[in-house]
Amino acid sequence: MSVLPLVFTSGWASGVNAYAVVLLLGLFGATGLSDDVPEALQRPEILVTVGVLFLCEAVADKIPYVDSVWDSVHTVIRPAAGAWVGALLAGQSGSVSDLTAALLGGSTALASHTVKAGTRMAVNTSPEPFSNIAVSTVEDLGVAGVVTLALFHPWAAAVVAGALLFTGLTALCFLLSRVRRFLRRRARRREERRTAAAVERPPGGAPYADRD
């Protein structure tokens, strides 16, 4: 097994949806479709737990602003999951040290998580909720496709994951400017409302409209 490309790909996917990665790998191993999946990922309690968490993420990830809160909570969880899966894959193959694989999986997961979280902040500046649903669905399908490809063609999957990560980081640089403009507009509107309220009801007095 080519473990390094598989670790890299699983790390990228963990940064997007760690529960989907563990669930998919575990199911592939438990059903005998792949012999490269560590037994720890195939345990029934692991599959049930990540299955429930995957369903929770599938809902939270499609609700505006809730998805950003969910991403904030998972800033540690996703890189940790990428490192854990990478170490398990390395232990399974025996060709790479657990520490090396954990560092590769965790750092890749952190990078892709940053792209995901930043992209969602930009998407949340849109007034309609359908873009969140579309982006979340594309992410889930992308994770499923790339992880499946990684088990059978690890180098090809690593190339795809690398291209997606590079594209995401590049796009994030442009999207962050949109987020900053959105935050400035919201702060300006909040300040305007406070100013208007102060004019209508000055401190210590009744509104100007109610005075004789």
Side-chain angles (χ1 to χ4, degrees):
M1 177 179 63
S2 301
V3 68
L4 282 179
L6 182 56
V7 169
F8 176 81
T9 303
S10 63
W12 170 84
S14 295
V16 179
N17 191 327
Y19 304 126
V21 173
V22 177
L23 182 62
L24 280 170
L25 291 176
L27 289 176
F28 273 114
T31 55
L33 294 175
S34 175
D35 298 326
D36 298 328
V37 179
E39 292 185 4
L41 298 177
Q42 304 178 37
R43 294 167 56 181
E45 62 270 26
I46 295 293
L47 293 177
V48 171
T49 301
V50 296
V52 172
L53 291 171
F54 170 75
L55 293 176
C56 293
E57 176 150 334
V59 175
D61 205 41
K62 294 175 176 60
I63 303 173
Y65 299 105
V66 174
D67 58 352
S68 290
V69 174
W70 185 270
D71 286 338
S72 298
V73 173
H74 285 74
T75 300
V76 175
I77 296 175
R78 287 171 182 158
W84 178 59
V85 172
L88 289 176
L89 291 171
Q92 176 83 352
S93 70
S95 60
V96 178
S97 72
D98 294 0
L99 179 60
T100 299
L103 289 173
L104 177 61
S107 59
T108 307
L110 179 60
S112 61
H113 165 76
T114 302
V115 172
K116 175 186 173 73
T119 301
R120 288 312 182 84
M121 290 177 63
V123 170
N124 282 333
T125 62
S126 175
E128 43 73 33
F130 303 107
S131 53
N132 297 75
I133 297 174
V135 171
S136 177
T137 301
V138 169
E139 288 173 348
D140 292 342
L141 292 175
V143 167
V146 172
V147 170
T148 301
L149 181 64
L151 287 173
F152 303 101
H153 303 285
W155 283 107
V159 171
V160 173
L164 290 173
L165 182 59
F166 175 79
T167 302
L169 289 171
T170 303
L172 184 60
C173 294
F174 295 97
L175 291 174
L176 285 178
S177 62
R178 177 179 175 180
V179 173
R180 285 194 293 268
R181 287 196 301 269
F182 171 76
L183 294 176
R184 284 196 296 266
R185 287 197 304 268
R186 189 166 65 175
R188 188 165 54 249
R189 287 196 297 267
R190 189 182 301 117
E191 183 63 28
E192 289 172 353
R193 287 195 295 268
R194 281 199 296 263
T195 302
V199 170
E200 293 175 0
R201 185 179 295 275
Y208 287 123
D210 294 339
R211 294 183 176 182
D212 293 331

